Amino acid sequence: DAGVIQSPRHEVTEMGQEVTLRCKPISGHNSLFWYRQTMMRGLELLIYFNNNVPIDDSGMPEDRFSAKMPNASFSTLKIQPSEPRDSAVYFCASREPGLGIDEQFFGPGTRLTVL
Amino acid sequence: AQSVTQLGSHVSVSEGALVLLRCNYSSSVPPYLFWYVQYPNQGLQLLLKYTSAATLVKGINGFEAEFKKSETSFHLTKPSAHMSDAAEYFCAVIKGNTGFQKLVFGTGTRLLVSP
């Protein structure tokens, strides 16, 4: 299995531009998580999908952030417009049905830099 | 509310020395606690977990952690550090009820291992 796949691995953009981060979960996993990692705030859960449905998006910072999961094999996290404070590493993780919340498999992350 | 605090953003040890990474928790209910490791340019991997069974938990790569209720601690140890242990380590706790749970992470401790 290829594991959780995230693209791009690195993204550099200018303030005000739209950014789209992509995630392909492990085949057969029905839960998907988006996290943001910064030096100041550590690792924070942004949103959690179960069976393609958003269950908890209380961690999404503001309306500039949106996430979708159109099918079981693909999810996007979009930032529009982007701001320098959005610079962070964004992780996607997925989990197999029936397993505990700790049994998440993390992708390698997307390092976003907003200039 | 459940939370964890990691003491020390960086810990430096020599190869062969004892590794001790500190984590204290706050929880109004018996906690489920975890340690994750993040190698450079990779996502997080589960090292070990405490789920109210044995208080001394053994994980992968020779790491272990002891749950001490009296000290509200869950420190991670390894008797002899190896160069390959250099990574960032995160303590985490489950927050929420059985309906919806999420992992809450500490801010991480970077372990540096010198020859």
Side-chain angles (χ1 to χ4, degrees), chain A residues 91-107:
Chain A
F91 288 100
C92 176
S94 69
R95 183 187 61 170
E96 194 176 322
L99 294 186
I101 193 70
D102 58 294
E103 301 278 1
Q104 299 176 32
F105 287 81
F106 282 77

Side-chain angles (χ1 to χ4, degrees), chain B residues 54-100:
Chain B
T55 57
L56 183 62
V57 181
K58 294 186 184 299
I60 60 173
N61 300 336
F63 283 93
E64 61 183 37
E66 187 172 7
F67 174 75
K68 291 187 177 180
K69 185 177 179 181
S70 60
E71 299 177 7
T72 61
S73 69
F74 189 58
H75 301 333
L76 182 70
T77 60
K78 182 173 180 177
S80 177
H82 193 274
M83 296 294 290
S84 61
D85 295 327
E88 189 149 18
Y89 293 80
F90 293 88
C91 183
V93 65
I94 285 182
K95 182 176 180 178
N97 54 35
T98 53
F100 171 65

